[in-house]
mmCIF file of all heavy atoms in Angstrom:
data_model
loop_
_atom_site.group_PDB
_atom_site.id
_atom_site.type_symbol
_atom_site.label_atom_id
_atom_site.label_comp_id
_atom_site.label_asym_id
_atom_site.label_seq_id
_atom_site.Cartn_x
_atom_site.Cartn_y
_atom_site.Cartn_z
ATOM 1 N N PRO C 1 -14.674 68.125 -38.908
ATOM 2 C CA PRO C 1 -16.099 68.083 -39.281
ATOM 3 C C PRO C 1 -16.390 67.141 -40.434
ATOM 4 O O PRO C 1 -17.552 66.887 -40.762
ATOM 5 C CB PRO C 1 -16.401 69.542 -39.663
ATOM 6 C CG PRO C 1 -15.091 70.108 -40.095
ATOM 7 C CD PRO C 1 -14.066 69.444 -39.223
ATOM 8 N N GLU C 2 -15.336 66.610 -41.057
ATOM 9 C CA GLU C 2 -15.528 65.693 -42.183
ATOM 10 C C GLU C 2 -15.964 64.292 -41.727
ATOM 11 O O GLU C 2 -16.090 63.381 -42.523
ATOM 12 C CB GLU C 2 -14.229 65.574 -42.987
ATOM 13 C CG GLU C 2 -13.849 66.831 -43.731
ATOM 14 C CD GLU C 2 -14.721 67.047 -44.954
ATOM 15 O OE1 GLU C 2 -15.138 66.055 -45.576
ATOM 16 O OE2 GLU C 2 -14.999 68.213 -45.279
ATOM 17 N N GLY C 3 -16.115 64.106 -40.409
ATOM 18 C CA GLY C 3 -16.568 62.796 -39.923
ATOM 19 C C GLY C 3 -15.476 61.991 -39.263
ATOM 20 O O GLY C 3 -15.521 60.763 -39.248
ATOM 21 N N GLY C 4 -14.496 62.657 -38.685
ATOM 22 C CA GLY C 4 -13.408 61.942 -38.013
ATOM 23 C C GLY C 4 -12.278 61.622 -38.973
ATOM 24 O O GLY C 4 -12.381 61.854 -40.177
ATOM 25 N N GLU C 5 -11.188 61.135 -38.432
ATOM 26 C CA GLU C 5 -10.023 60.845 -39.261
ATOM 27 C C GLU C 5 -9.717 59.340 -39.204
ATOM 28 O O GLU C 5 -8.803 58.884 -38.498
ATOM 29 C CB GLU C 5 -8.837 61.688 -38.816
ATOM 30 C CG GLU C 5 -9.121 63.184 -38.950
ATOM 31 C CD GLU C 5 -7.870 64.017 -39.185
ATOM 32 O OE1 GLU C 5 -6.842 63.751 -38.536
ATOM 33 O OE2 GLU C 5 -7.920 64.925 -40.025
ATOM 34 N N GLU C 6 -10.507 58.602 -39.962
ATOM 35 C CA GLU C 6 -10.346 57.146 -40.010
ATOM 36 C C GLU C 6 -8.987 56.763 -40.581
ATOM 37 O O GLU C 6 -8.465 55.683 -40.276
ATOM 38 C CB GLU C 6 -11.440 56.523 -40.858
ATOM 39 C CG GLU C 6 -12.838 56.628 -40.257
ATOM 40 C CD GLU C 6 -13.892 56.070 -41.196
ATOM 41 O OE1 GLU C 6 -13.519 55.249 -42.071
ATOM 42 O OE2 GLU C 6 -15.064 56.453 -41.073
ATOM 43 N N ASN C 7 -8.431 57.638 -41.425
ATOM 44 C CA ASN C 7 -7.133 57.317 -42.026
ATOM 45 C C ASN C 7 -6.042 57.167 -40.962
ATOM 46 O O ASN C 7 -5.163 56.309 -41.075
ATOM 47 C CB ASN C 7 -6.745 58.346 -43.082
ATOM 48 C CG ASN C 7 -6.824 59.773 -42.573
ATOM 49 O OD1 ASN C 7 -7.505 60.072 -41.590
ATOM 50 N ND2 ASN C 7 -6.126 60.696 -43.234
ATOM 51 N N PHE C 8 -6.098 57.968 -39.903
ATOM 52 C CA PHE C 8 -5.108 57.857 -38.829
ATOM 53 C C PHE C 8 -5.350 56.588 -38.005
ATOM 54 O O PHE C 8 -4.411 55.959 -37.520
ATOM 55 C CB PHE C 8 -5.139 59.108 -37.945
ATOM 56 C CG PHE C 8 -4.370 60.262 -38.531
ATOM 57 C CD1 PHE C 8 -4.947 61.078 -39.492
ATOM 58 C CD2 PHE C 8 -3.057 60.513 -38.148
ATOM 59 C CE1 PHE C 8 -4.244 62.145 -40.047
ATOM 60 C CE2 PHE C 8 -2.343 61.569 -38.699
ATOM 61 C CZ PHE C 8 -2.936 62.386 -39.652
ATOM 62 N N GLN C 9 -6.609 56.212 -37.867
ATOM 63 C CA GLN C 9 -6.919 54.953 -37.176
ATOM 64 C C GLN C 9 -6.442 53.761 -38.006
ATOM 65 O O GLN C 9 -5.925 52.776 -37.461
ATOM 66 C CB GLN C 9 -8.427 54.864 -36.924
ATOM 67 C CG GLN C 9 -8.941 55.908 -35.942
ATOM 68 C CD GLN C 9 -10.463 55.953 -35.886
ATOM 69 O OE1 GLN C 9 -11.140 55.042 -36.355
ATOM 70 N NE2 GLN C 9 -11.004 57.030 -35.322
ATOM 71 N N GLU C 10 -6.609 53.853 -39.329
ATOM 72 C CA GLU C 10 -6.094 52.799 -40.215
ATOM 73 C C GLU C 10 -4.578 52.703 -40.111
ATOM 74 O O GLU C 10 -4.014 51.607 -40.094
ATOM 75 C CB GLU C 10 -6.491 53.093 -41.665
ATOM 76 C CG GLU C 10 -7.979 52.916 -41.965
ATOM 77 C CD GLU C 10 -8.327 53.288 -43.398
ATOM 78 O OE1 GLU C 10 -7.510 53.952 -44.066
ATOM 79 O OE2 GLU C 10 -9.416 52.907 -43.854
ATOM 80 N N ALA C 11 -3.925 53.861 -40.037
ATOM 81 C CA ALA C 11 -2.467 53.886 -39.914
ATOM 82 C C ALA C 11 -2.021 53.210 -38.621
ATOM 83 O O ALA C 11 -1.090 52.394 -38.607
ATOM 84 C CB ALA C 11 -1.963 55.334 -39.955
ATOM 85 N N GLU C 12 -2.720 53.524 -37.534
ATOM 86 C CA GLU C 12 -2.372 52.929 -36.237
ATOM 87 C C GLU C 12 -2.571 51.409 -36.264
ATOM 88 O O GLU C 12 -1.751 50.647 -35.748
ATOM 89 C CB GLU C 12 -3.257 53.566 -35.160
ATOM 90 C CG GLU C 12 -2.908 53.151 -33.732
ATOM 91 C CD GLU C 12 -3.759 51.988 -33.257
ATOM 92 O OE1 GLU C 12 -4.821 51.745 -33.865
ATOM 93 O OE2 GLU C 12 -3.351 51.319 -32.290
ATOM 94 N N ALA C 13 -3.645 50.956 -36.914
ATOM 95 C CA ALA C 13 -3.942 49.517 -36.991
ATOM 96 C C ALA C 13 -2.938 48.768 -37.864
ATOM 97 O O ALA C 13 -2.738 47.558 -37.691
ATOM 98 C CB ALA C 13 -5.352 49.310 -37.530
ATOM 99 N N ALA C 14 -2.300 49.482 -38.792
ATOM 100 C CA ALA C 14 -1.371 48.834 -39.730
ATOM 101 C C ALA C 14 0.048 48.750 -39.197
ATOM 102 O O ALA C 14 0.911 48.117 -39.827
ATOM 103 C CB ALA C 14 -1.376 49.591 -41.063
ATOM 104 N N ILE C 15 0.319 49.346 -38.061
ATOM 105 C CA ILE C 15 1.694 49.421 -37.558
ATOM 106 C C ILE C 15 2.270 48.044 -37.258
ATOM 107 O O ILE C 15 3.370 47.707 -37.711
ATOM 108 C CB ILE C 15 1.763 50.340 -36.310
ATOM 109 C CG1 ILE C 15 1.561 51.795 -36.735
ATOM 110 C CG2 ILE C 15 3.101 50.174 -35.582
ATOM 111 C CD1 ILE C 15 1.399 52.765 -35.578
ATOM 112 N N ASN C 16 1.560 47.248 -36.466
ATOM 113 C CA ASN C 16 2.102 45.945 -36.058
ATOM 114 C C ASN C 16 2.447 45.051 -37.234
ATOM 115 O O ASN C 16 3.469 44.367 -37.233
ATOM 116 C CB ASN C 16 1.113 45.213 -35.147
ATOM 117 C CG ASN C 16 1.247 45.650 -33.696
ATOM 118 O OD1 ASN C 16 2.254 46.238 -33.309
ATOM 119 N ND2 ASN C 16 0.231 45.386 -32.903
ATOM 120 N N LYS C 17 1.597 45.041 -38.254
ATOM 121 C CA LYS C 17 1.787 44.120 -39.376
ATOM 122 C C LYS C 17 2.812 44.621 -40.386
ATOM 123 O O LYS C 17 3.506 43.813 -41.024
ATOM 124 C CB LYS C 17 0.442 43.889 -40.066
ATOM 125 C CG LYS C 17 0.486 42.813 -41.130
ATOM 126 C CD LYS C 17 -0.895 42.476 -41.653
ATOM 127 C CE LYS C 17 -1.466 43.601 -42.477
ATOM 128 N NZ LYS C 17 -2.741 43.244 -43.134
ATOM 129 N N ASN C 18 2.935 45.939 -40.528
ATOM 130 C CA ASN C 18 3.758 46.482 -41.613
ATOM 131 C C ASN C 18 5.092 47.078 -41.178
ATOM 132 O O ASN C 18 5.961 47.289 -42.017
ATOM 133 C CB ASN C 18 2.953 47.548 -42.372
ATOM 134 C CG ASN C 18 1.774 46.965 -43.116
ATOM 135 O OD1 ASN C 18 1.941 46.340 -44.156
ATOM 136 N ND2 ASN C 18 0.583 47.143 -42.571
ATOM 137 N N ILE C 19 5.238 47.354 -39.897
ATOM 138 C CA ILE C 19 6.526 47.864 -39.419
ATOM 139 C C ILE C 19 7.187 46.747 -38.622
ATOM 140 O O ILE C 19 7.047 46.644 -37.401
ATOM 141 C CB ILE C 19 6.335 49.140 -38.576
ATOM 142 C CG1 ILE C 19 5.646 50.213 -39.430
ATOM 143 C CG2 ILE C 19 7.675 49.645 -38.062
ATOM 144 C CD1 ILE C 19 5.372 51.502 -38.714
ATOM 145 N N VAL C 20 7.834 45.871 -39.347
ATOM 146 C CA VAL C 20 8.486 44.711 -38.749
ATOM 147 C C VAL C 20 9.882 44.548 -39.344
ATOM 148 O O VAL C 20 10.140 44.976 -40.466
ATOM 149 C CB VAL C 20 7.673 43.419 -38.998
ATOM 150 C CG1 VAL C 20 6.358 43.458 -38.247
ATOM 151 C CG2 VAL C 20 7.412 43.215 -40.488
ATOM 152 N N ALA C 21 10.757 43.940 -38.546
ATOM 153 C CA ALA C 21 12.116 43.696 -39.036
ATOM 154 C C ALA C 21 12.057 42.747 -40.224
ATOM 155 O O ALA C 21 11.320 41.755 -40.198
ATOM 156 C CB ALA C 21 12.956 43.090 -37.917
ATOM 157 N N PRO C 22 12.791 43.022 -41.288
ATOM 158 C CA PRO C 22 12.750 42.163 -42.477
ATOM 159 C C PRO C 22 13.245 40.755 -42.161
ATOM 160 O O PRO C 22 14.231 40.577 -41.461
ATOM 161 C CB PRO C 22 13.677 42.879 -43.467
ATOM 162 C CG PRO C 22 14.561 43.752 -42.632
ATOM 163 C CD PRO C 22 13.745 44.144 -41.457
ATOM 164 N N ARG C 23 12.516 39.757 -42.671
ATOM 165 C CA ARG C 23 12.916 38.359 -42.493
ATOM 166 C C ARG C 23 12.366 37.516 -43.639
ATOM 167 O O ARG C 23 11.358 37.853 -44.247
ATOM 168 C CB ARG C 23 12.404 37.786 -41.163
ATOM 169 C CG ARG C 23 10.897 37.804 -41.021
ATOM 170 C CD ARG C 23 10.458 37.162 -39.714
ATOM 171 N NE ARG C 23 10.640 35.733 -39.708
ATOM 172 C CZ ARG C 23 9.747 34.854 -40.167
ATOM 173 N NH1 ARG C 23 8.594 35.290 -40.688
ATOM 174 N NH2 ARG C 23 9.971 33.564 -40.123
ATOM 175 N N LEU C 24 13.070 36.432 -43.905
ATOM 176 C CA LEU C 24 12.618 35.512 -44.935
ATOM 177 C C LEU C 24 11.761 34.423 -44.307
ATOM 178 O O LEU C 24 12.083 33.914 -43.233
ATOM 179 C CB LEU C 24 13.816 34.856 -45.635
ATOM 180 C CG LEU C 24 14.539 35.651 -46.722
ATOM 181 C CD1 LEU C 24 15.678 34.814 -47.270
ATOM 182 C CD2 LEU C 24 13.600 36.047 -47.845
ATOM 183 N N GLU C 25 10.676 34.058 -44.971
ATOM 184 C CA GLU C 25 9.866 32.936 -44.519
ATOM 185 C C GLU C 25 10.691 31.654 -44.633
ATOM 186 O O GLU C 25 11.592 31.536 -45.472
ATOM 187 C CB GLU C 25 8.595 32.807 -45.379
ATOM 188 C CG GLU C 25 7.714 34.036 -45.407
ATOM 189 C CD GLU C 25 6.983 34.258 -44.097
ATOM 190 O OE1 GLU C 25 6.802 33.281 -43.345
ATOM 191 O OE2 GLU C 25 6.601 35.415 -43.836
ATOM 192 N N ASP C 26 10.373 30.677 -43.781
ATOM 193 C CA ASP C 26 11.130 29.422 -43.779
ATOM 194 C C ASP C 26 11.072 28.725 -45.134
ATOM 195 O O ASP C 26 12.061 28.127 -45.575
ATOM 196 C CB ASP C 26 10.585 28.480 -42.694
ATOM 197 C CG ASP C 26 10.878 28.990 -41.293
ATOM 198 O OD1 ASP C 26 11.793 29.820 -41.154
ATOM 199 O OD2 ASP C 26 10.199 28.565 -40.347
#
C-alpha cells in the first residue's frame, strides 16, 4: 500500500551493469 516497490525494480535494472565479471579497461 506504500505505492509499489520501486526499490526492487531499481535492483532489477541495476543487475546488468553492476553484476559483471571484473575486468580492467584497456
Side-chain angles (χ1 to χ4, degrees):
E2 291 285 327
E5 299 208 318
E6 292 176 22
N7 52 339
F8 279 82
Q9 294 170 15
E10 289 177 344
E12 186 265 341
I15 289 171
N16 276 343
K17 187 172 70 173
N18 293 285
I19 301 179
V20 293
R23 60 177 289 273
L24 280 180
E25 303 288 337
D26 291 340

